[in-house]
Amino acid sequence: MASMIEPKLISGNSNRPLAQAIARRMSMHRGMSVGLVDARVERFNDQEIFVEVFENVRGEDMYIIQSTSNPANDNLMELLIMTDALKRSSASRITAVIPYFGYARQDRRAKARTPISAKLVANLITEAGVDRVLTLDLHAAQIQGFFDIPVDNLYAAPIFALDVEHHFKGKLDRLTVVSPDVGGVARARELAQRIGSGLAIVDKRRVKAGEVAEMTVIGDVAGQICVIVDDICDTAGTLCKAAEVLMAAGAKEVHSYITHGVLSGPAVERITNSVMKSLVITDSIAPTEAVKQAKNIRIVATAPMFAQAIMNIWSGTSVSSLFDAETLGPIYEGMYSRG
Protein backbone atom coordinates (compact mmCIF):
# COMPACT_ATOMS: atom_id res chain seq x y z
CA MET A 1 0.00 0.00 0.00
CA ALA A 2 1.36 3.43 -0.94
CA SER A 3 2.46 5.80 1.79
CA MET A 4 0.33 8.84 2.53
CA ILE A 5 3.48 10.96 2.18
CA GLU A 6 4.07 12.04 -1.41
CA PRO A 7 7.59 11.58 -2.86
CA LYS A 8 9.48 14.86 -3.25
CA LEU A 9 12.35 15.48 -5.66
CA ILE A 10 15.26 17.87 -5.23
CA SER A 11 18.15 18.38 -7.63
CA GLY A 12 21.74 19.54 -7.49
CA ASN A 13 23.53 21.14 -10.43
CA SER A 14 25.10 18.06 -12.03
CA ASN A 15 22.21 17.05 -14.31
CA ARG A 16 19.20 19.30 -13.77
CA PRO A 17 17.62 18.49 -17.19
CA LEU A 18 17.39 14.82 -16.18
CA ALA A 19 15.88 15.75 -12.80
CA GLN A 20 13.25 17.89 -14.55
CA ALA A 21 12.50 15.05 -16.99
CA ILE A 22 12.02 12.62 -14.08
CA ALA A 23 9.63 15.10 -12.44
CA ARG A 24 7.61 15.36 -15.68
CA ARG A 25 7.38 11.58 -15.99
CA MET A 26 6.27 11.26 -12.37
CA SER A 27 3.60 13.89 -13.05
CA MET A 28 2.27 11.64 -15.81
CA HIS A 29 2.27 8.61 -13.49
CA ARG A 30 0.67 10.44 -10.58
CA GLY A 31 -1.87 12.43 -12.60
CA MET A 32 -0.79 15.46 -10.61
CA SER A 33 2.02 17.97 -10.90
CA VAL A 34 5.34 16.80 -9.47
CA GLY A 35 8.00 19.49 -9.42
CA LEU A 36 11.45 19.90 -7.97
CA VAL A 37 11.61 21.25 -4.43
CA ASP A 38 12.54 24.94 -4.50
CA ALA A 39 16.12 25.25 -3.32
CA ARG A 40 19.37 26.96 -4.16
CA VAL A 41 22.69 25.18 -4.47
CA GLU A 42 25.30 27.87 -4.90
CA ARG A 43 28.95 28.68 -4.28
CA PHE A 44 30.57 31.41 -2.25
CA ASN A 45 33.44 33.37 -3.80
CA ASP A 46 35.93 30.84 -2.42
CA GLN A 47 33.90 28.02 -4.06
CA GLU A 48 32.40 26.73 -0.81
CA ILE A 49 29.06 25.10 -1.56
CA PHE A 50 25.96 26.48 0.11
CA VAL A 51 22.49 24.88 0.10
CA GLU A 52 19.21 26.43 1.18
CA VAL A 53 15.86 24.61 0.89
CA PHE A 54 12.92 27.01 0.62
CA GLU A 55 10.13 24.47 1.24
CA ASN A 56 9.12 22.55 4.34
CA VAL A 57 10.48 18.97 4.12
CA ARG A 58 9.71 17.81 7.68
CA GLY A 59 8.59 14.17 7.57
CA GLU A 60 8.88 14.02 3.77
CA ASP A 61 10.16 11.18 1.57
CA MET A 62 12.99 12.98 -0.26
CA TYR A 63 14.84 11.98 -3.45
CA ILE A 64 18.05 13.85 -4.29
CA ILE A 65 18.87 13.57 -8.01
CA GLN A 66 22.59 14.12 -8.48
CA SER A 67 25.19 12.41 -10.67
CA THR A 68 28.75 12.55 -9.37
CA SER A 69 30.14 13.28 -12.82
CA ASN A 70 32.64 15.96 -13.90
CA PRO A 71 33.45 17.96 -11.81
CA ALA A 72 33.18 14.84 -9.64
CA ASN A 73 34.34 16.36 -6.35
CA ASP A 74 32.05 19.40 -6.60
CA ASN A 75 29.03 17.28 -7.46
CA LEU A 76 29.79 14.80 -4.70
CA MET A 77 30.06 17.62 -2.15
CA GLU A 78 26.74 19.05 -3.40
CA LEU A 79 25.13 15.67 -2.76
CA LEU A 80 26.58 15.41 0.74
CA ILE A 81 25.67 18.97 1.72
CA MET A 82 22.13 18.65 0.32
CA THR A 83 21.73 15.45 2.35
CA ASP A 84 22.87 17.24 5.50
CA ALA A 85 20.46 20.11 4.85
CA LEU A 86 17.53 17.70 4.46
CA LYS A 87 18.55 15.59 7.45
CA ARG A 88 18.74 18.67 9.69
CA SER A 89 15.34 19.74 8.33
CA SER A 90 13.79 16.48 9.62
CA ALA A 91 13.12 14.73 6.31
CA SER A 92 11.76 11.27 7.12
CA ARG A 93 13.74 9.36 4.45
CA ILE A 94 16.46 10.46 2.02
CA THR A 95 17.16 8.51 -1.16
CA ALA A 96 20.18 9.50 -3.25
CA VAL A 97 19.35 9.03 -6.93
CA ILE A 98 22.81 8.85 -8.52
CA PRO A 99 22.43 8.11 -12.26
CA TYR A 100 26.23 8.04 -12.64
CA PHE A 101 28.23 6.94 -9.60
CA GLY A 102 31.68 8.54 -9.88
CA TYR A 103 34.75 6.88 -8.38
CA ALA A 104 33.21 3.49 -9.25
CA ARG A 105 36.29 2.51 -11.26
CA GLN A 106 38.34 2.62 -8.05
CA ASP A 107 36.62 -0.45 -6.60
CA ARG A 108 39.71 -2.46 -5.65
CA ARG A 109 43.43 -2.15 -4.97
CA ALA A 110 44.98 -2.88 -8.35
CA LYS A 111 48.43 -1.91 -7.06
CA ALA A 112 50.12 -1.56 -3.69
CA ARG A 113 49.52 1.64 -1.69
CA THR A 114 46.41 2.70 -3.62
CA PRO A 115 42.96 3.55 -2.21
CA ILE A 116 39.58 1.92 -2.69
CA SER A 117 37.91 5.24 -3.35
CA ALA A 118 34.51 3.75 -4.20
CA LYS A 119 34.28 2.42 -0.65
CA LEU A 120 35.33 5.80 0.79
CA VAL A 121 32.63 7.58 -1.24
CA ALA A 122 30.06 4.99 -0.09
CA ASN A 123 31.04 5.72 3.51
CA LEU A 124 30.71 9.48 2.96
CA ILE A 125 27.24 9.13 1.45
CA THR A 126 26.05 6.85 4.23
CA GLU A 127 27.50 8.98 7.05
CA ALA A 128 25.98 12.14 5.55
CA GLY A 129 22.54 10.64 6.24
CA VAL A 130 21.38 8.96 3.03
CA ASP A 131 18.97 6.09 3.76
CA ARG A 132 18.93 4.47 0.32
CA VAL A 133 20.76 4.71 -3.02
CA LEU A 134 19.27 4.35 -6.50
CA THR A 135 21.82 4.21 -9.30
CA LEU A 136 22.40 2.93 -12.84
CA ASP A 137 24.93 0.38 -14.14
CA LEU A 138 27.55 0.43 -11.41
CA HIS A 139 30.97 -0.23 -12.91
CA ALA A 140 31.30 -3.21 -10.58
CA ALA A 141 28.22 -4.85 -9.04
CA GLN A 142 30.06 -5.54 -5.78
CA ILE A 143 30.07 -1.81 -5.01
CA GLN A 144 26.55 -2.40 -3.69
CA GLY A 145 28.24 -4.22 -0.82
CA PHE A 146 30.29 -1.12 0.04
CA PHE A 147 27.12 0.46 1.42
CA ASP A 148 25.47 -0.51 4.71
CA ILE A 149 22.16 0.81 3.35
CA PRO A 150 19.89 -0.57 0.57
CA VAL A 151 21.17 -0.01 -2.98
CA ASP A 152 19.02 -0.42 -6.10
CA ASN A 153 21.23 -0.81 -9.17
CA LEU A 154 19.23 -0.34 -12.38
CA TYR A 155 20.47 -1.63 -15.73
CA ALA A 156 20.60 0.08 -19.11
CA ALA A 157 20.46 -3.25 -21.00
CA PRO A 158 16.63 -3.39 -21.09
CA ILE A 159 16.49 0.13 -22.57
CA PHE A 160 19.27 -0.68 -25.05
CA ALA A 161 17.39 -3.82 -26.08
CA LEU A 162 14.29 -1.74 -26.86
CA ASP A 163 16.44 0.74 -28.82
CA VAL A 164 18.22 -1.99 -30.80
CA GLU A 165 14.95 -3.76 -31.65
CA HIS A 166 13.53 -0.44 -32.84
CA HIS A 167 16.50 0.85 -34.87
CA PHE A 168 17.64 -2.50 -36.30
CA LYS A 169 14.20 -3.89 -37.09
CA GLY A 170 14.53 -6.63 -39.72
CA LYS A 171 18.29 -6.89 -39.17
CA LEU A 172 18.42 -8.61 -35.78
CA ASP A 173 19.54 -11.90 -37.31
CA ARG A 174 22.65 -10.14 -38.60
CA LEU A 175 23.59 -8.54 -35.27
CA THR A 176 26.48 -9.61 -33.06
CA VAL A 177 26.93 -8.06 -29.62
CA VAL A 178 30.58 -7.41 -28.76
CA SER A 179 32.27 -6.97 -25.39
CA PRO A 180 35.27 -4.60 -25.70
CA ASP A 181 37.17 -6.64 -23.09
CA VAL A 182 36.94 -9.93 -21.23
CA GLY A 183 35.72 -8.20 -18.06
CA GLY A 184 32.57 -6.92 -19.76
CA VAL A 185 31.37 -10.27 -21.13
CA ALA A 186 28.50 -10.59 -18.62
CA ARG A 187 27.12 -7.18 -19.64
CA ALA A 188 27.37 -8.01 -23.36
CA ARG A 189 25.82 -11.44 -22.85
CA GLU A 190 22.84 -9.85 -21.09
CA LEU A 191 22.04 -7.69 -24.13
CA ALA A 192 22.73 -10.52 -26.57
CA GLN A 193 20.23 -12.77 -24.75
CA ARG A 194 17.60 -10.03 -24.75
CA ILE A 195 17.76 -9.49 -28.51
CA GLY A 196 18.64 -13.10 -29.44
CA SER A 197 21.96 -12.34 -31.13
CA GLY A 198 25.44 -13.85 -31.15
CA LEU A 199 28.31 -12.77 -28.92
CA ALA A 200 31.94 -11.86 -29.61
CA ILE A 201 34.81 -10.48 -27.52
CA VAL A 202 37.68 -8.12 -28.26
CA ASP A 203 40.65 -9.37 -26.24
CA LYS A 204 43.12 -6.63 -25.26
CA ARG A 205 46.78 -7.30 -24.54
CA ARG A 206 48.75 -4.53 -22.84
CA VAL A 207 52.53 -4.09 -22.74
CA LYS A 208 52.12 -1.47 -20.00
CA ALA A 209 49.33 0.47 -18.28
CA GLY A 210 47.37 2.73 -20.61
CA GLU A 211 48.97 1.31 -23.75
CA VAL A 212 47.24 -1.41 -25.76
CA ALA A 213 49.70 -3.47 -27.78
CA GLU A 214 47.30 -5.84 -29.50
CA MET A 215 43.58 -6.52 -29.92
CA THR A 216 42.18 -9.84 -31.06
CA VAL A 217 38.58 -10.65 -31.98
CA ILE A 218 37.25 -13.83 -30.39
CA GLY A 219 34.25 -14.97 -32.43
CA ASP A 220 33.09 -14.65 -36.03
CA VAL A 221 32.01 -11.11 -36.98
CA ALA A 222 32.45 -11.33 -40.75
CA GLY A 223 29.48 -9.73 -42.51
CA GLN A 224 27.84 -8.91 -39.18
CA ILE A 225 26.48 -5.65 -37.76
CA CYS A 226 28.50 -5.37 -34.55
CA VAL A 227 27.14 -3.70 -31.43
CA ILE A 228 29.79 -2.93 -28.81
CA VAL A 229 28.39 -2.74 -25.27
CA ASP A 230 30.09 -1.21 -22.23
CA ASP A 231 29.25 0.80 -19.12
CA ILE A 232 31.67 3.75 -19.41
CA CYS A 233 33.30 5.57 -22.31
CA ASP A 234 35.92 8.07 -21.12
CA THR A 235 38.50 9.16 -23.71
CA ALA A 236 37.14 6.67 -26.33
CA GLY A 237 40.60 5.51 -27.42
CA THR A 238 40.01 1.83 -26.71
CA LEU A 239 36.45 1.96 -28.08
CA CYS A 240 37.51 3.47 -31.41
CA LYS A 241 40.40 1.02 -31.70
CA ALA A 242 38.03 -1.90 -31.04
CA ALA A 243 35.75 -0.64 -33.82
CA GLU A 244 38.69 -0.58 -36.23
CA VAL A 245 39.70 -4.13 -35.28
CA LEU A 246 36.12 -5.36 -35.85
CA MET A 247 35.96 -3.72 -39.28
CA ALA A 248 39.33 -5.28 -40.15
CA ALA A 249 37.87 -8.65 -39.10
CA GLY A 250 35.13 -8.26 -41.71
CA ALA A 251 32.30 -6.57 -39.78
CA LYS A 252 29.80 -4.80 -42.02
CA GLU A 253 29.04 -1.98 -39.55
CA VAL A 254 30.01 -1.11 -35.98
CA HIS A 255 27.72 0.62 -33.49
CA SER A 256 28.27 1.15 -29.77
CA TYR A 257 25.94 1.30 -26.77
CA ILE A 258 27.55 2.83 -23.67
CA THR A 259 25.63 3.60 -20.47
CA HIS A 260 27.71 6.49 -19.14
CA GLY A 261 29.14 8.91 -21.70
CA VAL A 262 31.95 10.50 -19.68
CA LEU A 263 33.53 11.54 -23.00
CA SER A 264 36.43 13.57 -21.66
CA GLY A 265 39.38 15.09 -23.50
CA PRO A 266 39.53 14.13 -27.21
CA ALA A 267 36.67 11.61 -26.95
CA VAL A 268 34.06 13.42 -29.09
CA GLU A 269 36.57 14.19 -31.86
CA ARG A 270 37.76 10.59 -31.88
CA ILE A 271 34.22 9.24 -32.10
CA THR A 272 33.26 11.71 -34.84
CA ASN A 273 36.25 10.63 -36.94
CA SER A 274 35.99 6.92 -36.14
CA VAL A 275 34.67 4.05 -38.26
CA MET A 276 31.72 3.67 -35.86
CA LYS A 277 28.43 4.50 -37.50
CA SER A 278 26.83 5.46 -34.18
CA LEU A 279 27.45 5.74 -30.46
CA VAL A 280 24.39 5.54 -28.21
CA ILE A 281 24.69 6.81 -24.63
CA THR A 282 22.19 7.51 -21.88
CA ASP A 283 21.56 10.89 -20.26
CA SER A 284 22.95 9.73 -16.89
CA ILE A 285 25.59 12.43 -17.42
CA ALA A 286 24.48 15.81 -18.78
CA PRO A 287 25.78 15.98 -22.38
CA THR A 288 28.06 18.82 -23.41
CA GLU A 289 27.34 20.94 -26.48
CA ALA A 290 30.02 19.01 -28.37
CA VAL A 291 28.22 15.75 -27.59
CA LYS A 292 24.86 17.18 -28.65
CA GLN A 293 26.26 18.36 -31.98
CA ALA A 294 28.24 15.20 -32.83
CA LYS A 295 26.69 13.63 -35.91
CA ASN A 296 27.14 10.02 -34.82
CA ILE A 297 26.28 10.29 -31.10
CA ARG A 298 22.71 9.66 -29.98
CA ILE A 299 21.24 9.95 -26.47
CA VAL A 300 18.53 7.72 -25.00
CA ALA A 301 16.37 8.77 -22.06
CA THR A 302 16.56 7.21 -18.61
CA ALA A 303 13.90 9.46 -17.02
CA PRO A 304 11.00 7.01 -17.62
CA MET A 305 12.87 4.21 -15.84
CA PHE A 306 14.11 6.39 -12.96
CA ALA A 307 10.63 7.89 -12.48
CA GLN A 308 9.06 4.44 -12.24
CA ALA A 309 11.83 3.20 -9.93
CA ILE A 310 11.22 6.14 -7.58
CA MET A 311 7.50 5.44 -7.61
CA ASN A 312 8.17 1.76 -6.82
CA ILE A 313 10.50 2.61 -3.93
CA TRP A 314 7.96 5.10 -2.57
CA SER A 315 5.09 2.59 -2.79
CA GLY A 316 7.13 -0.36 -1.53
CA THR A 317 6.82 -2.39 -4.73
CA SER A 318 9.46 -4.24 -6.76
CA VAL A 319 12.27 -2.30 -8.43
CA SER A 320 13.73 -5.41 -10.08
CA SER A 321 10.53 -5.70 -12.13
CA LEU A 322 12.00 -2.92 -14.28
CA PHE A 323 14.58 -5.40 -15.57
CA ASP A 324 11.83 -7.17 -17.54
CA ALA A 325 10.96 -6.04 -21.05
CA GLU A 326 7.27 -6.70 -20.35
CA THR A 327 7.37 -4.08 -17.60
CA LEU A 328 9.77 -1.58 -19.17
CA GLY A 329 8.21 -1.69 -22.66
CA PRO A 330 4.96 0.07 -21.69
CA ILE A 331 6.95 2.70 -19.74
CA TYR A 332 8.77 3.58 -22.97
CA GLU A 333 5.65 3.35 -25.12
CA GLY A 334 5.71 6.14 -27.66
CA MET A 335 9.51 6.10 -27.82
CA TYR A 336 9.99 2.58 -29.17
CA SER A 337 7.76 0.28 -31.15
CA ARG A 338 8.36 -3.46 -30.85
CA GLY A 339 5.76 -4.37 -33.38
Side-chain angles (χ1 to χ4, degrees), residues 100-108 118 139 143 231-232 234 262:
Y100 171 67
F101 184 82
Y103 285 100
R105 285 175 281 184
Q106 299 184 49
D107 64 315
R108 69 193 192 285
H139 181 63
I143 292 174
D231 64 321
I232 296 174
D234 193 347
V262 176

Side-chain angles (χ1 to χ4, degrees), residues 102-121:
Y103 285 100
R105 285 175 281 184
Q106 299 184 49
D107 64 315
R108 69 193 192 285
R109 297 189 70 193
K111 298 179 182 178
R113 297 174 296 282
T114 57
I116 305 180
S117 302
K119 170 59 176 169
L120 173 62
V121 171

Side-chain angles (χ1 to χ4, degrees), residues 2-10 26-27 29-35 37 55-63 91-93 310-311 313-315:
S3 168
M4 295 299 293
I5 303 172
E6 293 292 326
K8 284 196 172 182
L9 310 181
I10 188 169
M26 287 182 64
S27 297
H29 292 317
R30 299 290 295 144
M32 56 189 291
S33 178
V34 176
V37 167
E55 297 181 25
N56 179 27
V57 297
R58 184 179 298 275
E60 298 288 357
D61 190 9
M62 299 299 303
Y63 296 81
S92 109
R93 181 175 67 171
I310 290 171
M311 294 298 299
I313 291 171
W314 167 74
S315 63

Side-chain angles (χ1 to χ4, degrees), residues 11-16 39-52 54 65-82:
S11 174
N13 295 315
S14 70
N15 198 342
R16 198 166 180 85
R40 61 171 174 150
V41 184
E42 298 176 348
R43 282 159 179 74
F44 293 133
N45 290 334
D46 64 354
Q47 298 306 300
E48 276 188 19
I49 295 167
F50 175 72
V51 173
E52 184 177 8
F54 296 117
I65 302 171
Q66 177 80 342
S67 283
T68 52
S69 50
N70 185 34
N73 297 333
D74 283 1
N75 288 329
L76 175 59
M77 282 304 298
E78 279 191 13
L79 172 61
L80 299 177
I81 294 172
M82 291 171 71

Side-chain angles (χ1 to χ4, degrees), residues 12-311:
N13 295 315
S14 70
N15 198 342
R16 198 166 180 85
L18 175 57
Q20 292 168 335
I22 292 172
R24 286 195 298 270
R25 291 295 303 198
M26 287 182 64
S27 297
M28 293 172 58
H29 292 317
R30 299 290 295 144
M32 56 189 291
S33 178
V34 176
L36 300 177
V37 167
D38 189 15
R40 61 171 174 150
V41 184
E42 298 176 348
R43 282 159 179 74
F44 293 133
N45 290 334
D46 64 354
Q47 298 306 300
E48 276 188 19
I49 295 167
F50 175 72
V51 173
E52 184 177 8
V53 181
F54 296 117
E55 297 181 25
N56 179 27
V57 297
R58 184 179 298 275
E60 298 288 357
D61 190 9
M62 299 299 303
Y63 296 81
I64 306 173
I65 302 171
Q66 177 80 342
S67 283
T68 52
S69 50
N70 185 34
N73 297 333
D74 283 1
N75 288 329
L76 175 59
M77 282 304 298
E78 279 191 13
L79 172 61
L80 299 177
I81 294 172
M82 291 171 71
T83 300
D84 189 69
L86 294 174
K87 198 74 176 177
R88 294 179 186 276
S89 302
S90 301
S92 109
R93 181 175 67 171
I94 301 172
T95 299
V97 182
I98 311 175
Y100 171 67
F101 184 82
Y103 285 100
R105 285 175 281 184
Q106 299 184 49
D107 64 315
R108 69 193 192 285
R109 297 189 70 193
K111 298 179 182 178
R113 297 174 296 282
T114 57
I116 305 180
S117 302
K119 170 59 176 169
L120 173 62
V121 171
N123 289 346
L124 290 170
I125 290 172
T126 303
E127 289 300 316
V130 168
D131 299 299
R132 189 181 197 99
V133 170
L134 173 63
T135 188
L136 174 67
D137 264 353
L138 284 170
H139 181 63
Q142 65 265 22
I143 292 174
Q144 295 173 80
F146 292 177
F147 291 87
D148 292 325
I149 55 176
V151 177
D152 292 303
N153 183 33
L154 302 177
Y155 298 100
I159 305 175
F160 287 164
L162 292 173
D163 192 272
V164 168
E165 289 171 347
H166 177 75
H167 286 278
F168 294 93
K169 191 179 296 183
K171 303 177 183 177
L172 293 177
D173 58 335
R174 287 176 278 162
L175 250 62
T176 296
V177 175
V178 180
S179 172
D181 52 47
V182 175
V185 171
R187 184 178 293 105
R189 185 186 296 116
E190 169 75 10
L191 180 62
Q193 289 175 341
R194 286 179 179 274
I195 63 176
S197 74
L199 180 66
I201 305 167
V202 175
D203 180 37
K204 293 184 294 189
R205 302 178 188 272
R206 297 182 186 271
V207 289
K208 59 183 179 181
E211 187 174 316
V212 178
E214 182 184 356
M215 283 186 167
T216 305
V217 179
I218 303 173
D220 184 13
V221 298
Q224 292 289 296
I225 299 172
C226 289
V227 176
I228 301 174
V229 180
D230 208 354
D231 64 321
I232 296 174
C233 176
D234 193 347
T235 59
T238 301
L239 182 65
C240 292
K241 177 65 176 175
E244 292 173 5
V245 170
L246 289 168
M247 290 298 289
K252 183 179 180 181
E253 297 176 3
V254 178
H255 303 261
S256 294
Y257 280 75
I258 310 292
T259 306
H260 307 297
V262 176
L263 303 180
S264 58
V268 175
E269 183 180 358
R270 282 175 174 170
I271 292 164
T272 301
N273 298 326
S274 75
V275 297
M276 277 189 298
K277 294 202 69 174
S278 71
L279 167 65
V280 179
I281 59 176
T282 75
D283 55 358
S284 64
I285 297 173
T288 62
E289 282 303 314
V291 171
K292 292 177 183 176
Q293 294 172 12
K295 66 180 187 298
N296 58 345
I297 299 178
R298 185 162 54 82
I299 302 169
V300 298
T302 59
M305 181 170 63
F306 273 113
Q308 188 62 55
I310 290 171
M311 294 298 299

